[in-house]
Structures are given as structure tokens and as C-alpha cells.
Amino acid sequence: MNLLSLNDDILLSIFAQLYGEDALNVSLTSKHVFALAGPRIASDITCTSPEELRRLHAYLLSSIRGTLWAKFVEKFVIHIHTFAGDTDDDEYYANFSQAFLLGDILLQASNIRELYFDRFHPCLERDPRILHAIRSLTSLDKLDLFVVADASLSIFDTPHHLDKLSYLNLCYYCGDDPVKNQTKSLPPLVSVLPSFRHLDTLAISFFEPTARLPRAARPSLPSIRTLDLCEVSTPALDLVDLCPNLFDLTISLSSEGGERIVIEGPKWPSLRQLKVEELDEVRWFPKRLGTVDQLQICGRIRLNSETTAGGAMSPKERLLELLRDTSPVGVYMCMELSGQVEQTSGFWSDVARAAPRLRSLELQLYRPRTEDSWDDYSWVSELPNALRSLPLQCLRVLVLPEQRHRPRVPDREAEAANEARDREEEINRVKTLNALTPLVVHAFPSLRCLSVGDAAINMDLWDDIPLDPAVSALQVDEEAVEWEWDYLRHLLVIRKQRWWRVVDGPHGRELVEITSGEGEAAQREIETVTRIEDSTH
């Protein structure tokens, strides 16, 4: 079948999935196709250097059949490297001599739906036309602005033109950003938010107001379902009170946001998901949390510590209190095995009592190591017995090798012995993980799915060393490994994540290996479906 035999409406739907070089290649096949697919060439634009900005300026302000290419731009990314200085320039991405080129483009690119703009406030100071340009983007759905201040929010003084906005990300300036004599406070932000009637997601970073919001100036923001507060001061938590229909909440407190104050008040709405950066941060909003379906504590939890700073409750007590307050269905925790507390069935029985709805548990486990320590990972096999008091339907265990930085020793034999021991330890880690699965199945009669990682050895330890067959069987193709930052787990890579479904076979409960996509879908179902017995309480 000839593609051109399809009518133009169908072809336009097909070509709408193209952009950039793919759209260009298709457009060059015929004049008719160029007329239909040509506009997609400029639909997705990313600027990553001063030189590229000049090229984009010339290209986007040229025309095709009397229409500027800028009119076809739907997504425009202005990367921080757009503002790179000369090689001898001491300024850190603060070359704004070409900001007027961005003003020229934005004034013509009136159909932008997604805008990602780094170094926003310094550019706005150099070219005020940018303010008017963004106000005129009536199709804008998603807006990311980096390096903003109170004064930057003047672009929203006439917000009715941006009524379609559903996603807003504001990253405020930091200490080394090229911004002078600016402020960060709650009233300017809160005054503009009610105008965005369809705003579903609000993300705020490095926002460090020093004063709380007056109670008389607290509007309701019923459309916001997702609120992401990253590196904020405690007064910024007043934003949570404004969102009565909140589903997903992320809280990460700034270490440089001045003196922290306890944010007291009525309980926040029950949440589908709560993500906190550190367990100890919860003490700054005590008793504010209602029930949470999915609770994620990103930072390492060290239960062996008796107290926190200032004589506050111990990490164990803090964790159990958080579980009692939120009663989660699914929990993610990163735990440092610094003692026997977290490996005993007594502790996990306390967890079961504190979180009676718990059905899904993801544990990322570390054992800290000293220069001379060695780990045979025998403790991994003790996990099923320690955890068996939990009525789990989904269990994910992630055990990663602790990065070791041994100082070089002048004795070559001693250095070789250390390296050989590191390699043996890594082999033990992976073999112990592979032996964990049958132990888990017998420990949890209600288990429906299981995941174990990182189930492949770290090949950096075998640099230029021939592999024996036992080692080769445990490795993965390093070229196929995807390196991507995982904010939840604070990891760049997991070489091998294995998933199984638990089924009833002819000889009892059996494991059937499944893909990561199938496993994660099963985990989401377990964590989001309300159980009948839960709804009766």
C-alpha cells in the first residue's frame, strides 16, 4: 500500500508523531509530503550553546511559504549551556549578550505548548520583551522556569492568557546564580496561583521564604493534584494547606534555608503518594500527615543511632511514628545495616503493627564498610525470617555493593590481595541474591510478586583481568546497561533487576520470571487497589 494513497487528515495524524531530523527526512520524499510534514521539522527545538542560538534565530525567523518557522515551534528548550561564556570567562553560564535573540524568537513562536527556560530572570532583566512574549503564549500547557525570583512572577500579572497551563515548575535562584538584590517570599507566588484554574502539577525548587503565609492570604487551589517541594524552607510547607485535593506530595527541606520552624496545623489531605527526602525531616511537620498509600523515604535510614540532633526521638521511634500516622500500603526505604535492630523479627513486628495496611515493601540495603572490613553477605539469607511478620504481596530487595575507596598501598602483594578480596566479595553478593528467591517464597504465603537486584556483578573490579566461567555467568552486557538518574533510589544504574510472579504450580508455589514492566505494573496495582477489609475500617 502506498502511504500517499491515504488522505491528508490521516497523513497529518501520522506526521504529528515526527519532529526534528525524522520530520526532515520524511519531508524530503516529495513536495506533497513536505507540505504536510515540513512544519514538524521545527516543532521541537532545543538550544544548547550560544552558537546554536544564533543558528536557531536565523532559521526560525526565516519563512516557509510566507510563514515563519517559529510559528511551528511547539516545544522550546533553552538549556543552561545557551549562556556559556568564552573559555577564559570566569562567569558561570552568565553570558546574556544574546538574550535579545531569545526575545525575537519568543515573540514570533506564539504556538509553544511546552517551554523550558534556564537562566530566566537574568534574561528577563536584559530583554523585557520576554515578559510580553510569554504572556502571549495562549497554547502553553507546560512551563519550566529556572533561576527565578519574586520579581520574575510579573510575567503572570495577566494570567488569563495562560489559562491552559497544567504544569508549572519554578526553580528559584541559588547562591551562585547570576541574580542580585532579589527575594523569595510566599505572597507573590500565592497571589498568582489561583488564576491557573487547570494547574494540575506545581513543582517548586530552592524556594526559601523566611516568613509563613498570613492566614488571611491563603486561597484554595483545588486543581492541584501533585505538589513537589524540593530544597525548600519550612515556611514553604504552607503551600500544602492550599491544595485540598492533593494526591502526590514530595518534600525535601533545604539545608541552607535559614532557621527551621515547626509547621503546626490541621492534618493534610490523605495522599496517594508521599515522598520525603530524609526521615528526620518529618519532625518539622508533626501530626500533619494523614493516610498515605505509597510512602517513600529516599535518604538512608540508620536505625542504630539512638537520638537525633537536639535530643529528638530515635530514628526507630521516628520511623514507627511515621508509619502509624500514614498507615501506608506500599513503603520504600533505604536502610543502612549498622546493627542488629533492622535484621530482627521484633523490629519488623513493630513495623507490622504500626502499618497494618502494608502490602508492598521495597528495601534498598547497605552494610557500611571500613577499610579492613569484609562482607560475605550471609545476612541477606536472614531477611525472609526477619520480615515474615509482614503480610506482603510484593517485595523488592535491592542490595548494592558499597563503593570502596581503598588507599593505594606500596606493597603490591597486599594491594593484589585486597583487590582479590573485593572481587570475591562481589561474587558472594550476587550469588547470595540469586539464592534468596526460594527462601522468600516460603516465608510469605500471600506473596504475589518478587524483585531482586542488583543481580549482576560490578565488572569494574575485573578491569584487565581474565574472567573464569563462574564470573562470566554473573555479568551482563555493559553496553546494554542504561545509565539514568533515579531520584527515588539515588542511583545512576542498576545493572540487573529481576522480577518474578508467584503462582501455584503442580508442586506448590513456584516462581515465573517476568519483565520489569510487568513486575512494576503488578506492584502499582497492589499499592493502589483498596482492599475490601481496609474500606470497612
Side-chain angles (χ1 to χ4, degrees), residues 196-202 219-227 238-249 267-273 291:
F196 304 124
R197 296 179 301 163
H198 300 100
L199 188 63
D200 176 82
T201 300
L202 176 63
S220 177
L221 306 174
S223 68
I224 294 180
R225 300 290 193 272
T226 300
L227 181 61
D238 282 343
L239 291 170
V240 183
D241 288 319
L242 311 184
C243 307
N245 299 318
L246 199 62
F247 279 5
D248 300 336
L249 174 62
K267 281 189 178 294
W268 291 331
S270 296
L271 299 171
R272 176 178 59 191
Q273 176 176 278
T291 57

Side-chain angles (χ1 to χ4, degrees), residues 29-326:
T29 58
S30 75
K31 289 184 178 180
H32 182 61
V33 171
F34 183 83
L36 299 174
R40 300 299 304 169
I41 299 172
S43 62
D44 195 330
I45 297 293
T46 300
C47 184
T48 58
S49 71
E51 297 77 19
E52 190 168 18
L53 176 56
R54 291 192 291 272
R55 291 195 297 268
L56 286 173
H57 182 268
Y59 165 61
L60 293 175
L61 297 186
S62 63
S63 63
I64 169 178
R65 297 180 179 177
T67 302
L68 296 182
W69 283 104
K71 298 296 184 184
F72 303 118
V73 177
E74 297 179 1
K75 180 179 180 180
F76 191 19
V77 175
I78 304 166
H79 198 274
I80 188 174
H81 293 96
T82 302
F83 311 102
D86 298 331
T87 54
D88 297 330
D89 195 341
D90 291 335
E91 293 183 315
Y92 176 70
Y93 297 122
N95 178 8
F96 303 108
S97 60
Q98 297 185 146
F100 72 97
L101 300 181
L102 292 171
D104 290 345
I105 294 172
L106 289 170
L107 284 170
Q108 299 301 326
S110 55
N111 293 311
I112 290 178
R113 297 178 182 175
E114 298 183 28
L115 177 61
Y116 178 109
F117 199 143
D118 211 325
R119 294 297 193 252
F120 175 71
H121 188 81
C123 287
L124 192 62
E125 290 183 322
R126 270 72 174 184
D127 189 352
R129 296 180 304 159
I130 293 173
L131 179 148
H132 303 289
I134 294 181
R135 284 179 177 176
S136 67
L137 299 178
T138 56
S139 298
L140 196 63
D141 174 70
K142 183 177 181 181
L143 179 60
D144 293 86
L145 299 178
F146 292 78
V147 186
V148 301
D150 287 346
S152 312
L153 304 183
S154 60
I155 64 167
F156 302 131
D157 284 350
T158 54
H160 58 279
H161 296 302
L162 302 178
D163 189 53
K164 293 182 180 179
L165 199 66
S166 66
Y167 174 97
L168 177 61
N169 177 20
L170 299 175
C171 182
Y172 281 74
Y173 64 90
C174 298
D176 58 352
D177 286 330
V179 175
K180 296 181 180 179
N181 303 319
Q182 296 299 323
T183 57
K184 315 177 190 182
S185 57
L186 278 163
L189 174 62
V190 172
S191 66
V192 301
L193 290 177
S195 301
F196 304 124
R197 296 179 301 163
H198 300 100
L199 188 63
D200 176 82
T201 300
L202 176 63
I204 306 287
S205 302
F206 302 109
F207 183 46
E208 297 154 342
T210 57
R212 295 191 64 182
L213 193 66
R215 294 205 171 272
R218 297 193 176 191
S220 177
L221 306 174
S223 68
I224 294 180
R225 300 290 193 272
T226 300
L227 181 61
D228 189 338
L229 302 175
C230 180
E231 291 289 322
V232 301
S233 63
T234 47
L237 299 182
D238 282 343
L239 291 170
V240 183
D241 288 319
L242 311 184
C243 307
N245 299 318
L246 199 62
F247 279 5
D248 300 336
L249 174 62
T250 298
I251 296 178
S252 166
L253 297 182
S254 171
S255 58
E256 301 177 358
E259 183 180 358
R260 292 181 178 178
I261 57 176
V262 175
I263 304 300
E264 297 178 338
K267 281 189 178 294
W268 291 331
S270 296
L271 299 171
R272 176 178 59 191
Q273 176 176 278
L274 170 67
K275 184 186 296 182
V276 294
E277 182 68 16
E278 300 291 343
L279 173 63
D280 195 50
E281 292 179 347
V282 178
R283 67 190 177 108
W284 299 105
F285 42 97
K287 303 302 178 183
R288 303 299 308 273
L289 295 170
T291 57
V292 172
D293 286 343
Q294 302 164 40
L295 173 64
Q296 303 172 357
I297 308 169
C298 301
R300 291 194 188 187
I301 300 173
R302 298 172 177 85
L303 292 181
N304 225 35
S305 174
E306 290 300 323
T307 58
T308 56
M313 66 175 63
S314 70
K316 176 184 175 182
E317 294 171 330
R318 178 75 65 196
L319 175 61
L320 293 176
E321 181 185 65
L322 175 60
L323 294 174
R324 283 191 291 269
D325 289 342
T326 57

Side-chain angles (χ1 to χ4, degrees), residues 380-381 383-384 395-397 430-444 447 449-453 455 497-502 509-513:
V380 172
S381 62
L383 284 173
L395 175 64
R396 296 182 68 170
V397 177
V430 175
K431 286 184 175 179
T432 305
L433 284 175
N434 288 334
L436 178 65
T437 51
L439 301 177
V440 170
V441 171
H442 290 98
F444 300 99
L447 198 69
C449 55
L450 168 67
S451 175
V452 173
Q497 182 87 44
R498 301 185 68 186
W499 275 93
W500 296 268
R501 180 184 293 112
V502 183
R509 290 160 59 78
E510 299 177 353
L511 291 170
V512 176
E513 191 154 7

